[in-house]
Every structure is written in C-alpha cells, then in structure tokens.
Amino acid sequence: MSRTTAALDASFPGDWEELVITAVLGTERRTPAGAGRGPEAAAALLDAAAAATVRRRAGLRPAPAAERPEPAPEDPRPALPAAAARRLAMLLADRPGAAGGGRRGTAPDLMELLPQWLAAANARGYAPPPAVLPALLGAARGRTDLRPAALRFAGPRALWLARLNPDWRFALRSAPGGGTSVTAGRDPEGTRRLWQEGLFAERVALLTALRSRDPAAARELLAGTWATERAEDRLMFLDSLRSGLGPDDEPFLERALADRSRNVRATAAELLSALPASALAGRMAVRAGACVAVDRTRETPTLVVEAPHECDADMERDGVVAKAPAGRGERSWWFGQLAESAPLGTWSRRLGGRTPGEIVALPVADDWRSELHAAWCRAAVRQRDAAWSRALLGPPSAPEAGGPGAVSLAERAKLLGTLDPAERAEWVAGFIETHGLSEAFQLLGVCAVPWAAPLGRAVVDALNIARDAGSYPWSFSGVMGLAERCLDPSEAGRLDALLAVPDEPEDASPGAGGYWSEAFQRLVTTLRLRAAMLAELSPPAP
C-alpha cells in the first residue's frame, strides 16, 4: 500500500459514500483527506476507492444457498431425428430483418416456415432436444401465433423452465396442462380456489381449459360468481362459451340477456342466435319474417322488405342495438340485426319452400338486396350453414364474384370457411381462373395448407400470366409469399421453366423481369426446403 493510501486509510476509513461524492464533484473542487492538491489527489482517490472495494467485497456475508429446483420432468416422446434437430436450430436462429434491406433475393424466409415445421413435428409426436427449449420459448414469446404449436412441441420441460424465468410465464397460462389449466377438472378444490383468488388472465385460462374438457362444469363455475364480476370481465368470460356451445347453455345465456352491460347482452344474443332451436332464435325468426315477403304481383316474384319502424324494449333485451352507427339508417340497422339472428331455416318456410339458392336468386326491391344478403352472410357464418354459404357465394365464374356485388370479398372469405377444404379450394381456383389474383389474396388465406392441386395450379398459372404481361411484380408479393408457405412442395418441379429472366414487353415495369425471376427462384427454393423438412421428420424405413 502506498504512503498516500495509508494516510487516506487512516483519515478516510472506508466511507464509500464519501468517496463517491468526491469522485462526482472532482478532486479540484473537493480534495480527499490526507492528500495534496493536483495530480496526487486524483491518484489518491483511486487508490482509496480500490482499497475500499476490496474491503467491501471481503466483508460481504455469504447469503444462504437457494433451494435447488426439482429436476426437469422426463419427456416420454421419441427424440427428434438428428437432421430435423439441426433444421429446427437453423429455423430458430433466423430473425426477421437479419439480412437487412427491402429486397429479399432468392433466400427463403425461415421464420415463416417455423409454424409448418412445428405442425409436422407435433403430428409425428416428437420431443425437442433440451438445448433448443430456451430459443423455442423465446420465439413463442415474440409471436403469439406460434404459441399453441410451440408449447405443444416443447412439452413438460417448457413448463418447468417457465417457472424459473418470468419472461416465459406466458407458457404457464397458454400451454395445455400448464399452470392454471393443470387443475381444471382434476382438482375441484384447486379449481375453485384458483377461480376465486386467481389473476384475471389465470381465470380466463382456467375457464377456457375447463370448457374444453367439461362444458357444463365451466358454465356452472362461471354462474357461481357471475353477479359479482365486473362488466368487462363478464364479457371475456362469456366469450369462452363459444367453445362447445350447445342447447344446455341456453338457460344461462337467456339470463345474460338481462345483464347491465349492453356488450354482454349483445354477446349473449349472438351466442343464442347460433343455436337455431333457442327461444331467442325463434323470437328473431318471427320479427325478421314479418319484414320480408314475396311480391307475386310483379312480372318476376320479388322480395320486398319492410324494415321495423321502432326498436322496442323486447328487441333491445334480445340484443338489438338501438343506436345506429354514424352513416347508417336506423331502420336498416335494426333490420340487419334481426335478419342475421333468425335461423336460416326460417326463410324456406316463409318464402314458399324455396331452396337457399332459389331464395338468393330472387330480385329484391328498393335497393334492399345488399342489406339483406349481408345479413344472410353473417347468419350463414354464425350458424355454419354450408348450403346457404354456397348459395350466397354463387359460382366463382360469375361476374359479380370479383366485384363489389351484394356480397363483398371479405364476406365471401368468411363464407368459404364454412365449406370443407376441398370445396373451398375448388371455388377459389375457379375464382382465380376467371378474375385473376388481384382480388384473391384474402380468399387464399382461408384455404387449407398445402393447397390442393387445382388451387396450386391456378395460382402458379396466374403468376405466370402476370409475369409474361410485364406486370408490376411487387403487386403480387403477398400472393407470392403465401405460395411459398402454402403450395404443395411436390409442385417445385413444375416451376423450373419459370426461373429464367423473361423478355420484358415494351410497356413492362423497368427491371420487372429480374424481380420475377428472383421471386420464382425463391419460391422453388422454399418448396424444396419444405420438402426436405418433411423428409427429415419422417421416420426411416425399417
């Protein structure tokens, strides 16, 4: 120890706060005790700080050792094949924006392939390597759409890790069998206590998990505390009844129609209208039926609409919102709510036994067609009625299918969701062949993956036509991205002829040919990568 430090040690015995204040003010303004001014003061301060640091560390009492965590549970599923494990590590290492810039080139977007990889691994029942679990949980934390598949694949060890790291606590709320859901239906006392004392997110997770296993028990749990819940909480809890909705839920939902909250009443009414045999559906059928009739005095039978002139208290109790949004007429607003809540079977009986297709084909007087058909669309989606969905969709080659028409493209996308995957793909393929890709993006989003062969061929042919026409390639970037994820990997061989840079027409966008070639190369590369991923996950032949 230097002479200066010894002097400081005698007069400045380890007062750490004093040292900090002196250092902040500077030795020119505050000289350490026992040291002269000038450069010697700064050196003395540093020596004193070093000595005090040693004393502070040496004088720290060791804390009691933390309790060691229980060992991670065993995962009984078969181990992931080595090649698939390497592929998973590669997918998890990819990060959005890692390549920089806006032009992607021919490299596949690996993060967008992760959901498909997880779905395939879960279908085959594999367990992940323990070393990738932190990265897998990190990816699930950043993307909520990944969570169900990622947590199912991660298995019981992910829950063990989540209890040790607050950043991964979402897994305890989201994973099947994790956290709050572990007691649902298995430990009645634990379920009751958690429902009464848990945080809001825990209670929602508990109710959702219990509803999937025992709908009646979940409903009874909710009914027991319904009167004391906050309005916003009642709304969220009520929404959980969509899963497993059935006739047994009607008495509870009927009571909810008298709720203090307008939003709760509206949700209860919506759920009841999805039960065609419910009393509310019957009441709505009478009201809506009184508004629509067939005028047979005209040359062609025509539907005429007489919207309600008032919204009475009974209508409001049944979920009809009295105040119309800005820009909507009150009568059309009330009529739309009545028509969408009436069972679709009502209309065949009301309109002379006609089929859904015959009813939709009837002309509608006085510009009520759009309002009436939009209400029927909402009813078909709510009631999952495929016959009415087909009627409202119409043939995909019809001119109005690609334009505004009575049924918008957004409504058509929802109607397609009620059809089986093969019929859905066939309709969208026909739409693309007639109307092209410019309006098909939201329709493609509801089709099952991988796309059926007719749909895949329709998309590729339409992209090829757009390329040969010299169209602006960036207009089709969304469809091209969907094709990378949704085309059947076996289609890659058909695309080799599209990889060359095409001759650009005189009116083509500058550089469009190069961009199209790049996009098709990326598409082919991605399809072959997806094929390799599936092969790596397939068990070796005996």
Side-chain angles (χ1 to χ4, degrees):
M1 185 179 293
S2 69
R3 197 178 344 167
T4 305
T5 305
L8 280 172
D9 201 38
S11 58
F12 209 135
D15 191 340
W16 182 256
E17 296 297 329
E18 190 68 24
L19 284 171
V20 171
I21 293 172
T22 302
V24 170
L25 294 175
T27 54
E28 292 183 357
R29 298 176 58 191
R30 182 167 181 154
T31 304
R37 292 184 175 276
E40 182 183 349
L45 178 63
L46 292 175
D47 286 344
T53 299
V54 172
R55 284 198 301 272
R56 283 162 60 88
R57 290 175 177 172
L60 188 65
R61 293 184 178 181
E67 184 178 350
R68 296 180 63 180
E70 292 292 327
E74 293 294 326
D75 194 330
R77 297 174 294 176
L80 197 64
R86 290 192 294 271
R87 181 73 65 189
L88 174 59
M90 183 188 305
L91 296 177
L92 290 171
D94 191 63
R95 288 289 180 268
R103 187 162 175 169
R104 288 178 51 198
T106 60
D109 188 343
L110 299 184
M111 275 300 288
E112 288 304 315
L113 298 182
L114 183 57
Q116 287 189 23
W117 190 98
L118 290 170
N122 284 331
R124 290 161 175 79
Y126 286 122
V132 304
L133 287 176
L136 190 60
L137 286 169
R141 183 191 180 205
R143 285 182 55 177
T144 55
D145 61 307
L146 278 179
R147 288 183 184 178
L151 294 176
R152 179 183 169 193
F153 176 64
R157 288 174 174 169
L159 303 180
W160 179 84
L161 279 175
R163 294 185 181 97
L164 302 177
N165 186 343
D167 289 343
W168 298 332
R169 289 293 174 84
F170 68 88
L172 301 178
R173 299 188 298 269
S174 308
T180 60
S181 64
V182 74
T183 62
R186 299 173 183 171
D187 177 9
E189 180 58 29
T191 298
R192 184 194 62 78
R193 184 170 59 253
L194 185 58
W195 177 249
Q196 293 181 348
E197 302 174 6
L199 300 174
F200 175 70
E202 293 173 327
R203 300 178 74 209
V204 170
L206 173 65
L207 190 64
T208 302
L210 185 58
R211 182 72 179 178
S212 67
R213 294 174 183 162
D214 189 345
R219 185 180 62 249
E220 293 305 317
L221 189 69
L222 178 58
T225 60
W226 180 258
T228 60
E229 304 287 356
R230 299 183 306 167
E232 55 268 32
D233 294 351
R234 293 198 303 277
L235 184 62
M236 290 291 292
F237 293 145
L238 193 62
D239 203 56
S240 69
L241 299 187
R242 295 181 189 276
S243 174
L245 183 67
D248 291 342
D249 297 316
E250 183 179 357
F252 176 78
L253 293 172
E254 273 285 342
R255 292 194 296 273
L257 290 176
D259 196 86
R260 301 183 299 275
S261 166
R262 183 185 68 184
N263 291 332
V264 171
R265 294 196 302 272
T267 300
E270 179 190 344
L271 293 173
L272 284 167
S273 67
L275 299 172
S278 68
L280 178 136
R283 297 192 294 269
M284 289 299 195
V286 172
R287 293 173 181 133
C291 297
V292 181
V294 179
D295 184 354
R296 295 181 176 84
T297 64
R298 307 190 186 209
E299 184 177 344
T300 301
T302 301
L303 293 178
V304 291
V305 174
E306 179 68 23
H309 290 271
E310 64 173 343
C311 180
D312 58 35
D314 288 338
M315 288 169 59
E316 287 197 62
R317 181 188 179 276
D318 284 346
V320 176
V321 178
K323 184 175 176 57
R328 286 287 302 272
E330 282 186 334
R331 295 182 65 199
S332 66
W333 171 244
W334 299 332
F335 170 72
Q337 294 177 80
L338 297 180
E340 73 182 49
S341 300
L344 288 165
T346 298
W347 301 108
S348 181
R349 296 189 297 271
R350 172 71 178 164
L351 303 175
R354 290 177 171 87
T355 65
E358 292 169 339
I359 293 172
V360 170
L362 289 172
V364 184
D366 301 327
D367 296 324
W368 279 100
R369 183 170 181 257
S370 293
E371 187 70 52
L372 180 59
H373 283 209
W376 282 340
C377 284
R378 295 191 294 272
V381 172
R382 188 181 298 178
Q383 298 172 35
R384 310 298 297 174
D385 193 308
W388 270 89
S389 293
R390 292 188 196 98
L392 290 160
L393 282 166
S397 57
E400 65 269 15
V407 180
S408 69
L409 281 170
E411 289 167 333
R412 291 181 193 278
K414 294 177 182 178
L415 291 170
L416 284 168
T418 68
L419 306 181
D420 68 76
E423 186 178 1
R424 203 181 311 165
E426 184 179 357
W427 196 95
V428 178
F431 179 94
I432 293 171
E433 290 168 0
T434 304
H435 305 286
L437 284 172
S438 58
E439 302 293 343
F441 183 79
Q442 55 188 326
L443 302 180
L444 288 168
V446 301
C447 292
V449 177
W451 288 336
L455 177 57
R457 285 194 294 270
V459 171
V460 172
D461 290 345
L463 288 171
N464 192 19
I465 291 170
R467 182 193 70 151
D468 291 344
S471 300
Y472 196 61
W474 303 276
S475 301
F476 298 90
S477 60
V479 174
M480 190 66 79
L482 271 179
E484 292 172 18
R485 300 189 296 276
C486 303
L487 265 178
D488 193 313
S490 63
E491 296 287 316
R494 293 183 55 243
L495 302 176
D496 286 337
L498 305 177
L499 300 182
V501 178
D503 296 330
E504 295 183 3
E506 292 183 1
D507 57 346
S509 303
Y515 270 85
W516 275 112
S517 176
E518 246 180 35
F520 277 116
Q521 288 182 48
R522 184 172 61 248
L523 176 57
V524 171
T525 302
T526 304
L527 292 178
R528 289 182 172 146
L529 175 58
R530 287 172 54 207
M533 284 167 35
L534 294 175
E536 291 162 355
L537 286 164
S538 299

